[in-house]
Amino acid sequence: MSSVRTRTVRLDLDAGSASERPDTLAVEEPLQLEVDGRELTVTMRTPGHDVELALGFLHAEGLLHDAGDVVAMRHCAGTGPDGEPTHNLLRVTARAGSRLAGERVARPFTTTSACGVCGSLSVGDVLARVPAPLHDDRVEVGPDVLAGLPAALRAAQATFERTGGLHAAGLFTADGELLCLREDVGRHNAVDKVVGWGLREGRLPLRATVLVVSGRASFELVQKAAMAGVPVLAAVSAPSSLAVSLAREAGMTLLGFVRPPRANVYAGEHRVARPAGTGVGPRPTSVLT
């Protein structure tokens, strides 16, 4: 269940009046992840696609190479305070001999719906873990495709349409075809769900794709994209300084403020096709018009 109905009182601050009306809220609940009987993390998320979320999280942390490192995943049913069933515990059985089954998993992580990176704290840490080099991915994305991506992402956000309270991550081809979209209260969770989808589909590394996120581009989102082999990350809001540094070091193309008719390119501008005669100067940030 990704949304719930609730009672609210709407205030008209100009008129000084109030009226009662129903509203729809995005659901936020904890998900406890156990690996071989040991608690690994508890994260706040929007229920749905939990297996993908777990796979994407484990991959970003460098604990699993592909879906074959997991023998089984299953929800353990419980009940909430209202007596309704919950599925907030996910038990993972790791393949013997995999890193996921190793000693490192004995150290628990703590995450929230606002943060993502748990074990990787620096650019160097991430670069050492990236399994597939991004520099040699020659994909090119045209301005017309980039201009249409925010609207395509927004059009596919079914739960956001009802609640206005969820982030989204969408994986597109270089031609603008939507491959996968996931929503969550946490932007990093939405990306983990997309990467987890890629793992389940056997698509990693995600070559020649564009990952579009509905909020800002933080360090952890660039990390997760780089680990999954995504060459282009586009955000509708701002990147952080560390996100830009990581994107440049990893050979990724990073765009921010993708709001037609403009977008800022912070790294990897060679992957953005431009009409002849519109070359960009030596500054690290360019503006497409």
Side-chain angles (χ1 to χ4, degrees), residues 175-188:
D175 295 327
E177 176 190 354
L178 178 62
L179 299 173
C180 175
L181 181 135
R182 295 292 182 261
E183 295 179 283
D184 200 278
V185 289
R187 59 174 59 87
H188 69 282

Side-chain angles (χ1 to χ4, degrees), residues 63-72 92-101:
L63 295 176
L64 100 89
H65 175 66
D66 57 40
D69 289 338
V70 173
V71 175
V92 180
T93 303
R95 177 178 58 81
S98 66
R99 185 174 186 186
L100 184 59

Side-chain angles (χ1 to χ4, degrees), residues 125-145:
D125 291 335
V126 175
L127 294 176
R129 294 182 183 181
V130 174
L134 299 175
H135 295 275
D136 60 353
D137 193 314
R138 303 300 180 186
V139 66
E140 191 172 83
V141 185
D144 55 336
V145 172

Side-chain angles (χ1 to χ4, degrees), residues 28-50:
E28 182 177 27
E29 292 182 352
L31 176 67
Q32 180 177 331
L33 183 62
E34 290 184 359
V35 176
D36 294 336
R38 296 169 293 185
E39 180 180 328
L40 176 64
T41 187
V42 176
T43 185
M44 301 304 296
R45 98 302 188 195
T46 299
H49 305 286
D50 287 342

Side-chain angles (χ1 to χ4, degrees), residues 60 117 120-131 219-220 222-224 226-227 246 250:
V117 176
S120 301
L121 301 179
S122 73
V123 170
D125 291 335
V126 175
L127 294 176
R129 294 182 183 181
V130 174
F219 173 79
E220 67 264 28
V222 176
Q223 176 228 10
K224 292 173 184 296
M227 290 288 290
L246 177 56

